[in-house]
Amino acid sequence: MLDANIKAQLRAYLEKLVAPIELVASLDDSPKSAEMRALLEDIAGVSGKVSLRDDGAEARRPSFTVGRVGEPARIAFAGLPMGHEFSSLILALLQASGHAPRISDAQAEQIKSLSGPLRFETYISLSCHNCPDVVQALNTLAALNPNIRHVMIDGALNQAEVEARQIMAVPSVWLNGEPFDDGRMSLEEILGRLDSGAAAREAARLAEKDPFDVLVVGGGPAGVAAAIYAARKGIRTGLLSERFGGQVMDTLAIENLISVPHTDGPRLGRALEEHVREYEVDIMNLQRAEALIPAAADAPHAIRLANGAVVQGKTIILATGARWRELNVPGEQEYRGKGVAYCPHCDGPLFKGKHVAVVGGGNSGVEAAIDLAGVVGHVTLLEFGDRLRADAVLQTKLHSLPNVTVIKSAQTTDISGADGRVSGLNYTDRLTGQSQHIALEGVFIQIGLLPNTDWLKGTVNLSRHGEIEVDARGATDLPGVFAAGDCTTVPYKQIVVALGEGAKASLSAFDFLIRSQH
C-alpha cells in the first residue's frame, strides 16, 4: 500500500509516539477493505508502538479507530485517509498516543473544559483541500477531551449515508446526529461555536488594546505582506483577519507565483501565517470588520468588529480581498450545500455519475467543467455571452470531452429543487427569448469575484464595481487609510500582484506616519 519512501517518512514520525496505540479495524470483503487492511498493516509494521486487530465494532465498513492501548478509542476513519487526508492520519496517530498538538495552552485548556458527550461526524472527499483542516481540528478535540469522539467519513465510500442525509457539499460536520456546519473551519472557529462565552471574552480583550501604528484588515496575501513590511519597520502592527489565508484557501493549483513552481492554496495559506508569526504582529483572527470609523480630533482611525469591540490604528490598511460572485437567482441560497456549490474540487466527488451544470465560461468555469467531467456523468456549461472567455488551450480541452455540453447566450433565471435538493436549472436563451429547463442534480457557480467592501460604503470612495479606489501609492481618499489587493481598483487580481500591493501600502503607511509626527 505504502511505498518505501513513504514508509521511511512514516517511521520517522512514529518515533515521536508517546504511548503505545492500537488500530482496530472494522472490515468486510470489499476491495476497499483489502486496501485498508494493507494500509493498517504497513503502519503497524513500521513501529513497535503500533498494534493492529480486527473485529472492531464500527458500523461503517471499511473503517478503523485510533486509540491508546487500554482506553476507548475516540478517533475513527470511515474511509482510506490518503491524499489530502494522509496528514490527518499521521497527526491522529501522534495525538492519540499523547503527543501534544501544536496549539496554545489556552486552547488546550478550553478544549479540556468542554462538556459532553460530543459526537462529531465529518463527511469529506479525498480531493477536498479544505477538509483536512476540519478533520484535524476535530481529531484534536477528541484526542484531548474524553467526552468527545470524531469520525471522518469518506462520502464516496458511504453513498447511502450521504444520500440519506442529503449531503452535497464537503466538509460537512454533524454533531450528535444533527447538522453542525459546512465548509472550511479552523480550530478557533469550532471552539468559538462550542464555547458560548468565548466571543464576549475576546471582545473585551480586544477593546483594551492600545492604538496600533499600522492596523491591517485582512489575512490574505496583501494583508500578510502589509503586516510583515510594517513589523520590519519596528512599529506596532496589528492584523485583523476574518479568515486567515483569504480566497487563497479556495485555490487548488498555484503555478504562477514566481520562484515557487508548484503549490496549492492551503499550503500557501499556512506559509503566509507561519511567515507573519515570525514577526511581532498582533494577530487577531476570526474577527469580522463591520465599520471603519474615521479619525476624529481626539482619536485615531478605528475598526468596529462584529463582536462589538473597537480596535484603533494611527493608519489603516484595508486588504479584505474578494469572495465568490453569486448568481442572485431564486433557489441559489435555498439549495446552497444541497446541490448548489462553488468549489468543484471539493464537492465534485459527491456528484459521481450525476448530471451537473457549470455557470460561467471564463477560465474558472471551463476549468471546473473539465475537472468535473472526469467524475460526473455529464456536464452542461452555460455562458451568458455569445462566446467562451477562457484561454484557448482550455477551450480546446473542453470541446474534446464527450460528456460536456456547452450552451452560450444563456441567462440562468432560477435553480429548482425537490425533496430539499437541486433537481434542475432554468435559463433563457438570449437569442430567441425562449425559456429552457435542464434536469440535473448539481450547479457549480463560477462567475468571478466580488470585493469584500460592503461595510466601507460611505467612508472611502468605491468604484462602480465596489472596489476601493486607490492611487499609485495605495492611498484612499481618507488620509491615513490605505488599501491593497483584490478589494481595490488595481487591475489583475493575482496573488503575486496582491503581495506587492500589500508591501507598497505598508511602505506608504510608514511614510505617512513619519511625515505626520510632530
Side-chain angles (χ1 to χ4, degrees):
M1 181 70 185
L2 301 178
D3 63 31
N5 183 47
I6 295 178
K7 283 184 180 179
Q9 295 179 43
L10 183 61
R11 183 177 293 107
Y13 280 117
L14 296 189
E15 288 177 356
K16 302 176 183 178
L17 292 176
V18 177
I21 59 173
E22 182 179 52
L23 307 176
V24 182
S26 300
L27 306 175
D28 52 27
D29 296 328
S30 66
K32 284 297 179 182
S33 283
E35 288 184 46
M36 183 172 288
R37 177 180 294 281
L39 171 65
L40 299 180
E41 289 175 346
D42 282 348
I43 294 171
V46 301
S47 174
K49 287 188 175 181
V50 181
S51 59
L52 169 64
R53 66 179 174 88
D54 289 341
D55 302 322
E58 295 295 306
R60 301 180 182 92
R61 295 172 184 262
S63 66
F64 66 95
T65 61
V66 180
R68 195 178 301 195
V69 174
E71 297 181 4
R74 303 193 296 270
I75 298 173
F77 294 87
L80 282 165
M82 302 301 291
H84 291 301
E85 291 295 348
F86 191 61
S87 58
S88 301
L89 171 59
I90 293 173
L91 289 173
L93 295 168
L94 292 172
Q95 292 177 17
S97 79
H99 192 278
R102 295 180 61 183
I103 61 176
S104 68
D105 292 341
Q107 286 177 323
E109 289 304 314
Q110 191 177 7
I111 292 170
K112 293 174 183 178
S113 68
L114 295 173
S115 59
L118 303 175
R119 300 291 180 261
F120 287 100
E121 301 165 292
T122 303
Y123 294 87
I124 61 100
S125 69
L126 294 179
S127 60
C128 170
H129 53 281
N130 288 325
C131 292
D133 288 341
V134 178
V135 172
Q136 291 166 25
L138 291 171
N139 281 349
T140 297
L141 264 64
L144 294 179
N145 188 322
N147 297 314
I148 301 175
R149 191 178 190 279
H150 176 236
V151 55
M152 180 213 82
I153 305 166
D154 182 357
L157 288 184
N158 296 272
Q159 282 289 326
E161 190 172 339
V162 165
E163 291 287 334
R165 286 186 164 179
Q166 297 188 4
I167 293 166
M168 306 185 77
V170 292
S172 178
V173 180
W174 287 55
L175 173 58
N176 294 339
E178 299 293 333
F180 178 73
D181 209 345
D182 295 323
R184 179 179 176 271
M185 291 173 279
S186 66
L187 177 64
E188 291 171 291
E189 290 173 295
I190 294 169
L191 285 175
R193 290 280 306 275
L194 297 174
D195 184 352
S196 58
R201 293 195 302 271
E202 180 66 5
R205 187 182 69 84
L206 293 175
E208 295 176 353
K209 292 182 180 291
D210 293 329
F212 292 94
D213 293 315
V214 174
L215 178 60
V216 181
V217 186
V224 167
I228 288 174
Y229 264 71
R232 287 175 62 86
K233 294 292 186 182
I235 56 179
R236 190 162 182 270
T237 305
L239 188 150
L240 292 164
S241 174
E242 182 176 357
R243 178 194 183 201
F244 215 99
Q247 191 72 18
V248 161
M249 302 302 291
D250 297 324
T251 304
L252 191 60
I254 300 172
E255 300 177 348
N256 57 357
L257 184 57
I258 310 307
S259 82
V260 183
H262 305 284
T263 188
D264 58 53
R267 185 179 297 135
L268 178 58
R270 287 190 292 272
L272 290 171
E273 184 171 2
E274 289 171 1
H275 194 177
V276 75
R277 288 188 184 280
E278 291 182 1
Y279 294 89
E280 291 186 10
V281 176
D282 190 338
I283 298 172
M284 297 159 279
N285 199 20
L286 305 181
Q287 302 300 328
R288 181 164 58 88
E290 281 199 340
L292 167 62
I293 305 171
D298 58 344
H301 298 298
I303 300 293
R304 188 178 71 242
L305 305 175
N307 60 17
V310 174
V311 183
Q312 296 180 322
K314 298 173 185 176
T315 61
I316 303 284
I317 297 177
L318 304 168
T320 50
R323 64 189 183 278
W324 293 115
R325 184 185 296 271
E326 298 177 348
L327 280 172
N328 292 318
V329 299
E332 180 179 13
Q333 295 303 321
E334 180 181 356
Y335 297 109
R336 189 167 186 157
K338 300 298 181 183
V340 173
Y342 300 85
C343 180
H345 309 295
C346 298
D347 300 331
L350 298 176
F351 295 84
K352 184 177 181 180
K354 298 178 179 179
H355 184 181
V356 304
V358 173
V359 181
N363 281 350
S364 296
V366 172
E367 287 174 351
I370 292 170
D371 288 343
L372 289 166
V375 178
V376 305
H378 191 87
V379 180
T380 298
L381 186 146
L382 296 98
E383 162 58 30
F384 182 84
D386 59 2
R387 61 184 181 85
L388 300 182
R389 295 165 286 109
D391 295 342
V393 64
L394 294 175
Q395 294 192 44
T396 299
K397 175 64 176 178
L398 179 74
H399 292 304
S400 73
L401 301 173
N403 62 335
V404 175
T405 300
V406 177
I407 302 175
K408 291 173 279 192
S409 299
Q411 181 178 357
T412 303
T413 55
D414 67 276
I415 298 168
S416 56
D419 299 323
R421 64 178 67 186
V422 167
S423 63
L425 177 148
N426 297 310
Y427 72 93
T428 297
D429 185 321
R430 297 178 58 240
L431 299 179
T432 66
Q434 294 182 337
S435 297
Q436 304 288 342
H437 176 78
I438 306 173
L440 43 73
E441 293 152 294
V443 179
F444 289 81
I445 299 169
Q446 300 283 295
I447 56 173
L449 301 172
L450 280 175
N452 295 318
T453 57
D454 294 343
W455 62 287
L456 293 168
K457 291 178 180 177
T459 54
V460 294
N461 285 343
L462 304 177
S463 72
R464 63 187 181 90
H465 299 296
E467 299 166 321
I468 303 170
E469 294 184 347
V470 292
D471 64 14
R473 298 168 60 85
T476 71
D477 64 305
L478 191 60
V481 177
F482 303 83
D486 287 2
C487 64
T488 73
T489 50
V490 172
Y492 311 119
K493 313 305 184 187
Q494 298 288 309
I495 294 170
V496 69
V497 174
L499 288 168
E501 291 296 311
K504 182 172 68 177
S506 188
L507 293 171
S508 297
F510 179 73
D511 185 67
F512 177 88
L513 283 171
I514 61 177
R515 292 178 184 274
S516 60
Q517 289 177 349
H518 300 291

